[in-house]
Amino acid sequence: MKKSLLLVLFLIGHISFSCAQPQNILSEIDKLEATAKIWGFLKYYHPNVANGSRNWDEQLFQICQEIEKVQTKEEFSKVVEKWLLSLGEIKKHDKGAISKDDYFVKNLNFSWFENKHFFTNELSTKLKFIEENKFHGSNFYVAFQDSNPNISPLQFTNEIKYGKFDWADKKMRLLALFKYWNYVEYFFPYKYQMDQNWDKALREILPKIINTRTELDFHLAMRELSVKLNDSHASIGTDKMFDKFGNKFVPADFKIIDKKAVVITLKNDSLAHISDLKVGDVITAVDGKSIETILSNNIKYIEGSNENAILRNSYWAIFNGKSDSLQIEYNRNGKIEFKYIRRYLYHNLYTKPIKKDKWKFLYKDVAYVNLGEITEDDVSPMMNEVQHSNAIIFDLRNNALGTNYLISEYLNPEPKEFVKFLDADLNTPGRYIWRRDIEKCGKKNPDYYKGKVIILVNEVTQSHGEYSAMSLQTAPKAIVIGSQTSGADGGVVRFEIIKGFVTQFTSYGIFYPNKKETQRKGIVPDIKVNSTIPGIQQGKDEILERALIYIRTSK
């Protein structure tokens, strides 16, 4: 009886003690997540920060030290409020006249200000006040440039260049993470299309950043974060990646079909001959692991806007390594066999490029144009030669070399709208502005090409290739044939997050004139054709063959 009474008293005391504890204790992840958002927000919105008057990296290091000491949201909020006070007074602005600009606000969301788990009401009010009275002027940390047409108009500016990056320093790892997360938060136009909410991505990756035990783990965590953009342009490349995936390649290119790797071309005929690799070989396993298993284990490190692009980019995760050889299980002529094939350093795979036809006639009335080979100087003689054909096939499966505007002048009877641009609004980071003018291609031309225009695409068609397809689609008798394209349309901003971490992502939006996206979706074929294993083994170009059927039948 006494034992039972003691147990009851213990339980009552334990419950009472638990109930007396604060219910708003913040974990380390909670505090760092909130700090990442506040630090980035102030960087681009606070008038006394966005002007560049403070060492903002150093401010992060200091505030991180302060938040380590606190436990509750009340304590956390007081530390942040003290920080805000130290940044100086903010003058209240009149809202002014309503802008007539056409804004795109799918990415703009400050609902996190109101997160009662993180912030007191007082802090939430102060953050909202900063947003409403944001910085006006040229932001110190981001700007547009128009002097160099070969780089993105959007540029991240005046960031501190650290001579050496010490991965073992937790505060430097957090700096790299917070910088990148906020670049994407405010300046990636397609954030709203990600599979995973960007806030949740931050929370998911934080433990991997703060608890990393090796330099490679840190690099892989940053790579994993960049892949979450679902953008074929987005990646983080560092030499450290070779420690996991290796820097030696096999002398062939592959296409993943039905969870198998099919050899589609040979990078180097003589080296491929040494390993007896042939086009059409179907590889089902590497070093005892199925292709499906290898992909499943590494998918979080492979960039791509859609499944087609991810599979296209997966070759290194499957076949690269540090050793000179690997074992494959493969099927040739219906017989499953095992053998070892050799790997080589990439520069040893180079061979003299095979000269390809820029354009030719497949039949006397059907012309074929390889846009991956055509330069601007080639356009006039090419179009003059094919002008009287019944059909022209424009092959964009090797992308293009900036010829789409010139070619469109021959294909259209008058200028045609084909693309609408979306630019970052540097006055309100996170918001975007539709350009007033819709981009046109073509010119007034009564002698325009009257035949069928066939555009061939597949997963290799990316960025400028997709942009070129959009302009060629304006031709009166244009049709797109092939498979889903890469879905990464728009200019690319390239930059170093921090020393040694080179990265990029799509920096401005590309849409059809009706505001239909091309990002992730790609150029949607009018007639869908996917390559098949039998087709590859028989040496067929199934997409081209389907185009020829359409030319003959209009079906």
Side-chain angles (χ1 to χ4, degrees), residues 249-493:
F249 298 72
V250 297
D253 291 315
F254 305 86
K255 186 176 180 68
I256 308 300
I257 302 176
D258 298 333
K259 301 174 184 177
K260 304 175 184 69
V262 187
V263 178
I264 54 173
T265 56
L266 305 178
K267 291 180 182 292
N268 182 306
D269 287 348
S270 59
L271 295 181
H273 179 72
I274 292 172
S275 293
D276 186 30
L277 280 172
K278 295 183 179 180
V279 171
D281 284 347
V282 180
I283 299 174
T284 51
V286 172
D287 287 335
K289 294 181 180 179
S290 70
I291 301 299
E292 181 179 10
T293 298
I294 296 171
L295 282 172
S296 177
N297 291 341
N298 293 293
I299 199 75
K300 62 184 177 181
Y301 302 123
I302 305 171
E303 74 275 12
S305 298
N306 52 51
E307 184 180 12
N308 264 15
I310 292 169
L311 294 178
R312 180 201 71 189
N313 291 333
S314 66
Y315 63 94
W316 50 268
I318 298 171
F319 293 102
N320 274 32
K322 301 175 187 177
S323 64
D324 290 336
S325 65
L326 70 161
Q327 186 191 58
I328 62 169
E329 176 189 82
Y330 71 106
N331 186 325
R332 181 187 292 173
N333 299 325
K335 185 178 181 181
I336 297 176
E337 297 185 86
F338 296 84
K339 69 178 174 182
Y340 284 88
I341 61 174
R342 296 189 61 80
R343 294 188 181 109
Y344 303 88
L345 294 173
Y346 193 75
H347 67 265
N348 290 333
L349 294 176
Y350 284 122
T351 58
K352 187 177 180 180
I354 299 173
K355 189 174 181 181
K356 299 178 181 178
D357 291 324
K358 293 184 176 183
W359 71 88
K360 61 185 177 182
F361 280 89
L362 301 179
Y363 300 100
K364 64 179 181 179
D365 59 347
V366 177
Y368 170 87
V369 179
N370 184 350
L371 287 176
E373 299 289 331
I374 295 288
T375 67
E376 290 186 350
D377 290 340
D378 295 320
V379 171
S380 179
M382 178 269 291
M383 287 304 303
N384 287 334
E385 188 173 332
V386 304
Q387 182 71 19
H388 300 294
S389 62
N390 289 332
I392 305 176
I393 299 172
F394 290 101
D395 196 341
L396 275 167
R397 293 174 295 172
N398 291 307
N399 289 300
L401 301 176
T403 55
N404 56 296
Y405 284 100
L406 286 176
I407 292 174
S408 292
E409 292 182 355
Y410 289 88
L411 302 183
N412 286 305
E414 58 188 4
K416 296 283 188 69
E417 294 179 342
F418 79 100
V419 67
K420 195 167 181 65
F421 290 100
L422 190 65
D423 295 311
D425 180 1
L426 301 191
N427 293 318
T428 305
R431 185 173 71 180
Y432 292 79
I433 304 175
W434 292 106
R435 292 186 198 172
R436 286 191 173 92
D437 295 331
I438 299 177
E439 187 77 0
K440 295 180 179 180
C441 63
K443 65 179 183 180
K444 195 164 186 62
N445 179 12
D447 296 323
Y448 73 97
Y449 180 73
K450 306 298 194 303
K452 293 177 179 177
V453 172
I454 317 298
I455 305 155
L456 306 187
V457 300
N458 65 2
E459 69 278 1
V460 177
T461 311
Q462 177 173 311
S463 197
H464 185 69
E466 293 172 302
Y467 186 78
S468 298
M470 293 173 74
S471 64
L472 296 179
Q473 279 181 294
T474 61
K477 296 182 180 180
I479 189 167
V480 179
I481 297 176
S483 56
Q484 184 182 33
T485 62
S486 178
D489 209 350
V492 178
V493 56

Side-chain angles (χ1 to χ4, degrees), residues 200-219:
K200 292 181 180 178
L202 172 62
R203 191 168 184 87
E204 180 183 306
I205 215 73
L206 263 168
K208 298 182 181 184
I209 297 296
I210 62 177
N211 298 320
T212 186
R213 295 184 178 181
T214 68
E215 184 177 5
L216 176 59
D217 286 342
F218 172 60
H219 286 236

Side-chain angles (χ1 to χ4, degrees), residues 88-156:
E89 182 183 3
I90 299 176
K91 294 181 180 179
K92 190 170 184 177
H93 292 292
D94 293 330
K95 289 187 176 180
I98 297 176
S99 173
K100 294 182 180 179
D101 286 318
D102 187 4
Y103 290 118
F104 181 93
V105 295
K106 288 184 179 181
N107 292 321
L108 190 64
N109 184 1
F110 290 120
S111 62
W112 58 269
F113 290 171
E114 307 297 329
N115 190 320
K116 302 302 181 186
H117 178 68
F118 290 156
F119 310 133
T120 60
N121 290 335
E122 291 79 8
L123 179 54
S124 295
T125 299
K126 286 180 170 60
L127 293 172
K128 184 65 177 175
F129 179 82
I130 295 170
E131 187 230 334
E132 291 173 346
N133 299 279
K134 63 182 181 292
F135 175 68
H136 291 269
S138 298
N139 195 294
F140 186 71
Y141 296 105
V142 63
F144 285 125
Q145 70 83 32
D146 57 8
S147 59
N148 186 346
N150 297 316
I151 62 175
S152 168
L154 181 73
Q155 293 291 303
F156 300 121

Side-chain angles (χ1 to χ4, degrees), residues 490-512:
V492 178
V493 56
R494 296 181 177 89
F495 57 98
E496 267 193 325
I497 306 169
I498 204 161
K499 184 70 174 178
F501 280 77
V502 179
T503 188
Q504 61 183 43
F505 56 72
T506 305
S507 63
Y508 57 82
I510 296 288
F511 296 73
Y512 284 103

